[in-house]
Amino acid sequence: MRVTNGMQFLSSIRQIGDSTGALFKTRQEVSSGKRIQSGADDPAGYTRLLQIRSAQADADRFSSISKQVKSSLQTYDNSLDGITDVMRRARVLALQGASDFSDAGQRQVLSDQVNTLLEEAIDAGNNFTDGKFIYGGSNNATAPFSVVRDPVSGKITNVNYGGDDREQSVDLEPGVSMGFTLSGTEVFGDPPGDPGNFMGALIKLRDDIATGNNAIISASVATLDAINDRFLSLRGEMGVRIQHLDNLTAFREQTLFQLEEERAAIEDTDLAQAMTRLSLQEVTYQGALTVAARLNRDTLLDRLR
Amino acid sequence: MGFDGILYASRALTANQAALDITGENLARMNEAGYTRQRLQPQVGPATPLPLTPTIGVGPGGPLFPGNGVERFRDVLLDRTIRAQANVLAGAQTSATIFRQADAIFNESVKAGINKASTALIDAVQQAAVNPNDIPSRTLVLDRANTLAATFADYANQVQNLRLEAGTRATNAVTEANGILARLADMNAEIPDRASAETNRLLDQRDLLLDRLSEIIDIEVAVQPQGDIVVYQSAVPLVFGKTARSLSLTQDLTGAGVITTDTGKTLSNPGAAVGALLDAKNVGLKGFADQLDTLANATMTEVNRRLANSYDLNGNAGAALFSGTSAITMQVALNDPRQLGFATASLQSTESMAATGFTVDASQPLSTQNANLGNPLTAASGTIVVNGTAINWNDTQSINQILANFPPGVMATFDAARQRIVLRRDPAQGNSGPDLTVSETSGDLLNAFRLTTATLNKGVPGDAGGARSIVALNTTPVLGVPPSQSINQGIQALVQSVALTASRNSNAAETAQRLQDALLTEREQVSGVNSDEEAVHLVQYQRAYEAALRLANAQDEILDTLINRLGVR
């Protein structure tokens, strides 16, 4: 093989170029902490990276939404707790009102107390939390319950519901949605006239206690018990949904952890391995420089006299 | 015997002097680009001495005559291979450079990116879906939409700039090629058909020009018997004799670039850098630009459709969020967050379909349910019109079967608990607006399921059917015929395609470079200068020169003896 000066310099320049290129890439990896700087570095890994990031974004979105949904469900749970308390107090008053030992004066006091509970129930029905009336269904910008009052006594004679029955739900993930609202009719029952309507039952109880019809008052207790069962059922449902949400969150967190592990394996630099490679490449680079510096240091021309 | 010795000495001196000059030129120009080493070719001339012809390489002569030329060490076949590879390498390197820039544009490693902007918009709509009447949540949707539109436009502008830059580079390259072609034609006239140091200098220049030209366009070179060359491209002669064709490039952003000669011939496959530039501009980058347009248009169409098929906070059909016809022109058309149509319409039967004390089984034929219906059927068949679409029914069908025939965009269900039909607008389907209408033209199917007089629920502030439909776009296939990819998947596929193209071209350029390096090393072996070798030749010619000088001195002494001393007393 005939070796010329040009070949030697050409080869040396290429080797220095190769060494510099390898060093540059490894230094980038070490200083950025990322193995993949752009898609062209590892198209297959990069594709998987995009999928993982998309899945992480979905998981983050789920996390954010699930907090809001859980908060909403807890709001309903707390509200139902308060409403159940109203119902229990009403039941106690009903039992007292149905007693033969109550005189007219005592019944009026009891009736007034039931009226107070009715006002509390209306307030609970118009619960305004986080910018919306929570029992309005999807029509939640205005108070769902409006009342008709006796012009003389000022007492509530009728309650109207202006909300709707549409449950608001949210898509936690494709194909999995969860309702996070309860409508006024779901909780308080259909409009007055329906025996299961809580407000209507309180109005009736108030008036029955005032008139002293013990048999009817006793029947109201059974009605209140049925309504209480509905409250308990709804609270149970809220609890189940919260539990479901917690389970989904735990599963998502586990998935998120696995995704993060996979992402790190694809994208992040293995520092120990990269530093070792960097040292080796520095030695190679220094070798290439040394060889270049020694090129043609001593030729026949130097020895000619 | 005559006095040939002094003639030989004289010619040897001349020849070795010339050889020393050539060796000196080799040493002096060894690092000059395109320089090819030379060697004087001494030749033993005819026995009969001829007049002194000291000019190198031209005349006949006697022994140790300088010869018929200066040999130029060049492998013509290797040159041909190197030029073919230069064509490949230039194309690969040009493509690699362009697609690396494209990869940088589409790099989703950084915190911004089209994928992130799209995801951020979905996130914002999801937040708004939880609180649809919350103005700050709606305003966030507008902000994120602005970011997405700006990102689409930014990407598209950068790709377009890259295409324009490729076009400019192609034009410049063609201009350079024209200069080289003209110079090659001139050189056809300048280069004599005899070998000399001057001739070799011109040949070196010509080879350099051909090497450079083969990096710009794919060429074939044919050397003619007289030493001039013909340069072809796509079988079209570009240089022949003293004539050079002038090339012109016609191009725009929509069509392919066309290279024609001044005689109107089209170069179908220019190859090399120009071919790669035109290919990148008109195929590769254009493909990315087209995909961006497809994604932007799909985003605009699908989001706007869902909004228009829903109601805003003012009770009107939602306004278009985006306007534009491409990624570059995409922008947000909405300023008022209240006008985002997030609520969907619903319609439900005004009363139970069942007679008091009875229930209707929606899965059974109507004929078997007649006794359970609130009003018995008045006909065995009929027609109802739902959102403008006529639905024919007959009593052998069940309610569920009839509902299944409702047109796209109307989600119909039978609420068994309340014994009522419930219709909801599916914002993802059709462009007929958010309303739901039902009328009956014949048969009076309980006056069309008791829906004809129902009051349309126009979507209320807390309803988020439209918003949820937009969130579902994240996973709903809307791209392709039939739709097979979501917009999110389309964006990922585009980014992946850019990455793969950049990687493939970088690898191709690296491979081509390795092969070209090997070929250039081969050429260097043949044509390069070795200083040690030249030093040996230096000594060789110097010694020969000294010997010739000694011969001349000896001849001189002989003549001196003969002329001045013979017979002299």
Side-chain angles (χ1 to χ4, degrees):
Chain A
M1 181 182 180
R2 182 170 180 275
V3 178
T4 66
N5 296 54
M7 280 167 67
Q8 295 182 64
F9 283 110
L10 205 61
S11 166
S12 193
I13 287 168
R14 282 176 202 145
Q15 281 156 5
I16 290 172
D18 287 349
S19 298
T20 312
L23 261 180
F24 175 74
K25 190 162 171 23
T26 307
R27 281 175 181 156
Q28 259 194 330
E29 281 185 32
V30 172
S31 56
S32 69
K34 302 286 180 200
R35 189 178 68 82
I36 298 175
Q37 306 297 324
S38 72
D41 290 341
D42 178 3
Y46 190 60
T47 303
R48 179 63 189 140
L49 202 56
L50 289 177
Q51 290 168 345
I52 291 172
R53 283 187 188 147
S54 187
Q56 285 177 321
D58 289 345
D60 287 343
R61 189 181 307 122
F62 165 81
S63 175
S64 167
I65 293 302
S66 65
K67 281 176 191 160
Q68 292 186 50
V69 170
K70 188 173 178 180
S71 167
S72 174
L73 294 174
Q74 283 170 337
T75 299
Y76 282 102
D77 191 46
N78 293 337
S79 172
L80 283 169
D81 188 42
I83 294 167
T84 306
D85 184 54
V86 170
M87 201 284 312
R88 284 195 194 115
R89 284 154 56 201
R91 188 175 185 280
V92 170
L93 294 175
L95 290 173
Q96 288 177 3
S99 165
D100 292 336
F101 301 106
S102 301
D103 57 24
Q106 287 171 325
R107 282 201 298 273
Q108 188 56 50
V109 171
L110 291 174
S111 174
D112 289 345
Q113 288 179 354
V114 171
N115 194 59
T116 304
L117 293 178
L118 174 62
E119 296 281 359
E120 283 185 39
I122 298 295
D123 287 345
N126 287 332
N127 185 326
F128 185 76
T129 302
D130 199 18
K132 57 192 176 189
F133 290 95
I134 66 172
Y135 291 113
S138 60
N139 192 8
N140 57 17
T142 54
F145 290 99
S146 58
V147 297
V148 178
R149 292 182 185 274
D150 182 277
V152 179
S153 64
K155 287 184 177 175
I156 296 169
T157 57
N158 200 1
V159 180
N160 295 314
Y161 178 64
D164 61 30
D165 298 335
R166 292 172 69 167
E167 181 185 49
Q168 284 182 270
S169 55
V170 68
D171 300 301
L172 296 172
E173 52 190 55
V176 179
S177 64
M178 179 181 280
F180 61 95
T181 62
L182 292 172
S183 69
T185 52
E186 250 182 307
V187 175
F188 296 97
D190 279 335
D194 184 320
N197 182 277
F198 185 43
M199 277 77 157
L202 288 178
I203 291 172
K204 188 169 184 303
L205 177 64
R206 178 197 67 195
D207 295 344
D208 287 344
I209 290 175
T211 55
N213 190 334
N214 290 354
I216 295 175
I217 296 170
S218 296
S220 295
V221 173
T223 303
L224 290 175
D225 285 344
I227 294 172
N228 188 43
D229 288 345
R230 187 171 73 229
F231 290 160
L232 289 175
S233 167
L234 288 171
R235 288 197 69 188
E237 194 178 321
M238 292 296 104
V240 167
R241 288 189 200 181
I242 289 171
Q243 182 64 43
H244 184 204
L245 210 54
D246 286 343
N247 290 343
L248 279 175
T249 303
F251 176 72
R252 279 282 183 159
E253 281 174 358
Q254 179 67 22
T255 307
L256 207 55
F257 180 73
Q258 287 167 347
L259 286 171
E260 180 56 21
E261 268 192 332
E262 191 182 353
R263 185 208 60 76
I266 294 171
E267 187 178 27
D268 291 352
T269 304
D270 180 340
L271 273 179
Q273 193 256 356
M275 288 305 293
T276 308
R277 184 155 31 96
L278 187 65
S279 301
L280 189 65
Q281 286 168 346
E282 279 173 349
V283 170
T284 308
Y285 177 59
Q286 284 164 10
L289 290 180
T290 306
V291 168
R294 285 170 182 252
L295 274 179
N296 280 26
R297 179 180 281 182
D298 193 16
T299 70
L300 184 58
L301 286 168
D302 297 317
R303 295 173 183 275
L304 291 178
R305 291 288 180 268
Chain B
M1 176 184 171
F3 293 98
D4 289 350
I6 197 149
L7 186 62
Y8 294 154
S10 168
R11 286 180 177 162
L13 282 172
T14 306
N16 286 303
Q17 177 64 54
L20 278 168
D21 287 348
I22 297 295
T23 305
E25 186 172 2
N26 282 343
L27 284 168
R29 298 178 62 199
M30 63 191 292
N31 289 330
E32 190 176 305
Y35 180 71
T36 306
R37 75 184 165 105
Q38 307 170 76
R39 191 77 63 222
L40 186 72
Q41 293 301 316
Q43 182 178 310
V44 177
T48 307
L50 294 172
L52 288 173
T53 51
T55 308
I56 295 168
V58 291
L64 289 179
F65 143 79
N68 64 350
V70 180
E71 184 180 359
R72 182 170 173 267
F73 291 86
R74 199 79 182 187
D75 183 334
V76 177
L77 287 177
L78 187 59
D79 279 347
R80 188 188 174 91
T81 310
I82 284 174
R83 280 177 200 136
Q85 184 58 25
N87 160 42
V88 173
L89 176 62
Q93 283 182 331
T94 304
S95 298
T97 304
I98 289 172
F99 289 112
R100 267 201 302 269
Q101 290 176 49
D103 188 43
I105 293 172
F106 285 86
N107 188 4
E108 294 277 331
S109 293
V110 290
K111 293 200 170 177
I114 203 161
N115 199 25
K116 285 190 184 298
S118 174
T119 303
L121 175 61
I122 296 293
D123 285 350
V125 178
Q126 176 78 295
Q127 294 290 338
V130 179
N131 289 306
N133 55 352
D134 182 44
I135 298 302
S137 297
R138 287 171 168 260
T139 304
L140 182 63
V141 171
L142 294 185
D143 287 346
R144 296 281 172 83
N146 266 311
T147 304
L148 179 62
T151 307
F152 263 118
D154 185 43
Y155 273 48
N157 270 315
Q158 289 193 59
V159 172
Q160 180 166 297
N161 288 340
L162 208 50
R163 293 182 67 201
L164 291 170
E165 185 192 321
T168 305
R169 286 177 62 188
T171 301
N172 292 343
V174 169
T175 304
E176 185 184 352
N178 280 335
I180 294 174
L181 291 171
R183 178 67 189 128
L184 287 171
D186 291 345
M187 293 183 89
N188 269 348
E190 290 171 10
I191 297 176
D193 60 351
R194 57 184 171 78
S196 72
E198 182 53 30
T199 303
N200 289 348
R201 277 192 203 102
L202 289 171
L203 290 174
D204 283 351
Q205 283 180 28
R206 190 173 76 180
D207 281 337
L208 267 180
L209 289 172
L210 288 170
D211 285 354
R212 176 60 191 145
L213 186 61
S214 63
E215 291 172 357
I216 300 173
I217 51 173
D218 188 13
I219 54 168
E220 281 290 330
V221 180
V223 181
Q224 302 301 296
Q226 291 75 25
D228 58 332
I229 56 170
V230 179
V231 178
Y232 296 94
Q233 207 295 316
S234 304
V236 176
L238 301 181
V239 174
F240 49 98
K242 297 176 188 174
T243 304
R245 294 286 175 227
S246 177
L247 305 177
S248 59
L249 171 62
T250 311
Q251 57 175 337
D252 56 41
L253 271 177
T254 54
V258 178
I259 300 180
T260 49
T261 66
D262 48 10
T263 55
K265 300 238 179 190
T266 300
L267 306 186
S268 56
N269 182 22
V274 171
L277 286 165
L278 294 179
D279 199 46
K281 173 173 163 282
N282 301 315
V283 181
L285 294 175
K286 184 173 187 302
F288 298 153
D290 289 347
Q291 284 183 64
L292 270 175
D293 284 345
T294 301
L295 290 166
N297 286 332
T299 303
M300 289 189 280
T301 303
E302 295 300 329
V303 170
N304 286 347
R305 180 211 307 281
R306 285 157 174 76
L307 293 171
N309 289 339
S310 306
Y311 285 100
D312 67 10
L313 284 181
N314 302 320
N316 302 318
L321 175 58
F322 294 111
S323 66
T325 55
S326 64
I328 284 183
T329 58
M330 183 178 182
Q331 57 183 328
V332 170
L334 201 57
N335 293 319
D336 182 2
R338 294 181 60 83
Q339 290 184 293
L340 286 166
F342 283 165
T344 48
S346 64
L347 197 66
Q348 66 179 14
S349 309
T350 50
E351 57 185 288
S352 169
M353 292 180 60
T356 306
F358 291 86
T359 55
V360 174
D361 187 340
S363 64
Q364 296 301 314
L366 281 168
S367 56
T368 65
Q369 296 295 304
N370 210 17
N372 299 332
L373 293 169
N375 289 320
L377 294 174
T378 56
S381 64
T383 303
I384 59 175
V385 179
V386 179
N387 269 22
T389 301
I391 312 289
N392 296 321
W393 61 269
N394 62 67
D395 62 2
T396 65
Q397 293 175 299
S398 68
I399 289 177
N400 286 343
Q401 285 173 328
I402 296 171
L403 295 183
N405 291 330
F406 278 23
V410 180
M411 297 187 292
T413 53
F414 180 71
D415 181 349
R418 296 188 177 206
Q419 294 282 295
R420 296 177 189 199
I421 304 286
V422 179
L423 304 186
R424 289 185 194 282
R425 183 73 173 88
D426 178 2
Q429 303 289 330
N431 287 311
S432 58
D435 288 350
L436 288 166
T437 59
V438 177
S439 60
E440 59 92 13
T441 54
S442 67
D444 188 15
L445 178 64
L446 275 75
N447 200 15
F449 295 133
R450 303 194 192 286
L451 289 166
T452 53
T453 55
T455 304
L456 180 71
N457 182 340
K458 292 180 128 192
V460 285
D463 180 70
R468 289 176 63 194
S469 177
I470 292 173
V471 173
L473 266 179
N474 198 37
T475 52
T476 307
V478 293
L479 299 171
V481 183
S484 58
Q485 266 188 334
S486 68
I487 292 173
N488 190 28
Q489 288 171 323
I491 292 171
Q492 287 182 19
L494 171 58
V495 174
Q496 177 190 356
S497 168
V498 175
L500 278 170
T501 308
S503 172
R504 188 172 59 244
N505 281 288
S506 289
N507 290 340
E510 202 167 317
T511 306
Q513 181 69 65
R514 297 289 168 207
L515 181 53
Q516 185 70 330
D517 285 350
L519 290 169
L520 290 175
T521 302
E522 287 285 321
R523 176 191 272 177
E524 187 63 23
Q525 281 189 51
V526 176
S527 306
V529 176
N530 182 319
S531 59
D532 292 336
E533 200 175 276
E534 298 306 321
V536 171
H537 283 128
L538 207 58
V539 173
Q540 178 190 356
Y541 297 135
Q542 188 183 358
R543 294 291 177 225
Y545 186 87
E546 286 169 3
L549 202 58
R550 177 61 60 88
L551 175 62
N553 281 336
Q555 289 291 329
D556 183 48
E557 283 175 16
I558 291 168
L559 286 173
D560 181 56
T561 303
L562 278 174
I563 295 167
N564 297 325
R565 300 188 186 178
L566 191 65
V568 176
R569 294 282 183 267

